[in-house]
Amino acid sequence: MTSPSFQRFESFQSDFSYETRPVRVVFRPGAAVTATPGEAARLGLRRLLVVCGTRGEAVARAVADALGDTCAGVHAEARMHVPVEDADRAVAAVRAAGADGCVAVGGGSAIGLGKAIALRTGLPLIAVPSTYSGSEMTPVWGLTDHGAKRTGRDPVVQPRSVVYDPRLTLSLPVPLTVTSGVNALAHAVEALYAPDTSPLVSVMAEEGVRAMTEALPRLAADPKDLDARSRALYAAWLCGSCLGSTTMGLHHKVCHVLGGTFGLPHAETHTVVLPHALAYNAPAPPQALAVLRRALGADDAPRALWELAGRLGVPRSLAELGLRESDVAPAADRVAGEPYANPREVTAEGVRSLLRAAYEGGPPATA
Ligand code: NAD
């Protein structure tokens, strides 16, 4: 594999392609209410359905109020992993409202439902994220049908406009702040060794990892620190952009299986699995590891991620998240049966030992 970075100590990757998609980003405290109507106007939208989850309804209603006459209703039915029946109901709501676009307010679940609507109808989407999932910066959609999560890429689901308002994230509880932040880190980590990585992705990933890992301890100490919130959201933007520009690998596949088939919570699962997935892949992409060592300020990147989760008090084992020991082998078979692109060969035995280590929650194998 060629070098993913042109930075110090590494050779320049001189064979790559990079696509820039037309996404407008507005970043400002208070922007959810002050900037969303202007973004809708820029896109020429006049009847917007606001999509959110039940817990995010109050904020979504504030955005809906700001939209005034251009709001065609609030659909507060987003749930994790976008069950297909939820997508069906949301599309029916859009049609019943005669909407010409959607605004998704909330975490990856709300944005995921907005993307499902865009996928089926072609309507433009504005995203107002309230977590660090990064979904707003990707053309990736996900749908769960009969216990199996499918993902795909389609430019039509990429939000046309993203309104980043750090104030929306002030209410994120510390555990979700940390796990959602590590979800963002996972995007940067896998982008560094993706087959379609590039020097620009490498720069974004390094800056994203550095900014997020600096912000999270500050937020664990003081979740109302608006400056740290802004830095974490900036990092989420960078890490989400990395995910949007590259192909996901083993880590994301493991998390999709554990979430879609075994019902584990998304951000927490990313947090537990990431050190072990990176340890599994560590021998394969030395250049990616060099970038991560620099960004994390640590020689052993998988261990540094594992220690970060421990220091910040979030779960480190799949057992804590509710996975049964008897699920490890079938989950591994499922991952190995349809692997994503990965720098190291994915074998059922290899995934089984990765999952067993993540199930137990001890330190990852030394890189
Ligand atoms: P989420 O959207 O389900 O939110 C988690 C919980 O936090 C929910 O109960 C929600 O109501 C609550 N919440 C959200 N924002 C809050 C806030 N500011 N204050 C208090 N509570 C808040 O979880 P998530 O981790 O953001 O997203 C997970 C989903 O996103 C998964 O389905 C995942 O597959 C998807 N995702 C997709 C992509 C992509 O590119 N397509 C990328 C990342 C995640």
Side-chain angles (χ1 to χ4, degrees):
M1 210 175 148
T2 48
S3 163
S5 172
F6 61 81
Q7 305 213 354
R8 285 173 309 159
F9 314 126
E10 290 133 50
S11 55
F12 179 66
Q13 179 193 356
S14 55
D15 180 358
F16 59 89
S17 52
Y18 181 85
E19 193 179 320
T20 304
R21 283 180 304 276
V23 183
R24 206 179 118 82
V25 169
V26 180
F27 193 114
R28 159 170 93 235
V33 165
T34 60
T36 307
E39 292 308 297
R42 249 172 207 280
L43 292 166
L45 303 175
R46 288 152 191 243
R47 276 190 77 70
L48 288 140
L49 187 72
V50 176
V51 176
C52 62
T54 43
R55 269 166 68 181
E57 202 173 337
V59 175
R61 293 230 170 255
V63 173
D65 288 348
L67 286 168
D69 290 347
T70 58
C71 178
V74 175
H75 183 78
E77 293 187 26
R79 289 186 297 160
M80 205 167 274
H81 304 310
V82 197
V84 276
E85 55 276 17
D86 289 15
D88 294 343
R89 270 200 306 280
V91 168
V94 154
R95 295 209 166 114
D100 60 2
C102 290
V103 180
V105 182
S109 299
I111 295 168
L113 188 58
K115 286 178 165 182
I117 295 170
L119 186 66
R120 300 261 186 92
T121 63
L123 292 180
L125 176 63
I126 298 173
V128 187
S130 67
T131 68
Y132 307 129
S133 84
S135 177
E136 67 280 357
M137 292 311 296
T138 84
V140 178
W141 54 265
L143 282 167
T144 305
D145 194 4
H146 293 100
K149 181 162 178 173
R150 286 183 296 127
T151 61
R153 300 178 87 91
D154 192 322
V156 80
V157 310
Q158 166 81 59
R160 307 278 182 89
S161 178
V162 177
V163 177
Y164 281 115
D165 180 351
R167 276 195 201 138
L168 288 197
T169 61
L170 287 171
S171 55
L172 272 176
V174 168
L176 186 54
T177 297
V178 173
T179 55
S180 189
V182 178
N183 184 193
L185 294 179
H187 304 330
V189 165
E190 290 233 295
L192 282 167
Y193 53 64
D196 41 7
T197 193
S198 64
L200 184 58
V201 163
S202 181
V203 169
M204 290 193 294
E206 181 168 349
E207 171 73 355
V209 170
R210 190 174 285 122
M212 186 61 86
T213 50
E214 283 173 5
L216 291 182
R218 289 176 58 190
L219 290 171
D222 178 9
K224 299 290 179 203
D225 179 341
L226 188 60
D227 179 65
R229 286 287 178 198
S230 297
R231 284 168 200 262
L233 200 56
Y234 160 68
W237 170 31
L238 293 173
C239 295
S241 301
C242 290
L243 178 68
S245 302
T246 55
T247 307
M248 292 176 270
L250 174 63
H251 168 79
H252 280 82
K253 178 66 189 181
V254 168
C255 294
H256 289 165
V257 167
L258 293 176
T261 306
F262 296 89
L264 263 54
H266 182 80
E268 292 87 338
T269 304
H270 271 272
T271 304
V272 171
V273 171
L274 184 62
H276 302 283
L278 182 58
Y280 181 92
N281 276 335
Q287 305 297 344
L289 260 287
V291 174
L292 287 173
R293 277 192 208 107
R294 228 174 22 236
L296 293 166
D299 282 344
D300 186 339
R303 184 155 187 130
L305 291 168
W306 181 80
E307 285 173 349
L308 180 75
R311 261 200 319 280
L312 302 184
V314 292
R316 286 198 289 196
S317 75
L318 294 176
E320 284 172 90
L321 302 186
L323 192 75
R324 290 171 309 180
E325 198 170 1
S326 57
D327 290 332
V328 166
D333 290 345
R334 199 157 186 138
V335 170
E338 37 184 48
Y340 290 176
N342 198 59
R344 185 177 163 201
E345 192 192 355
V346 175
T347 62
E349 198 189 332
V351 181
R352 251 198 298 279
S353 60
L354 184 169
L355 276 177
R356 171 146 298 284
Y359 175 81
E360 289 168 357
T366 304

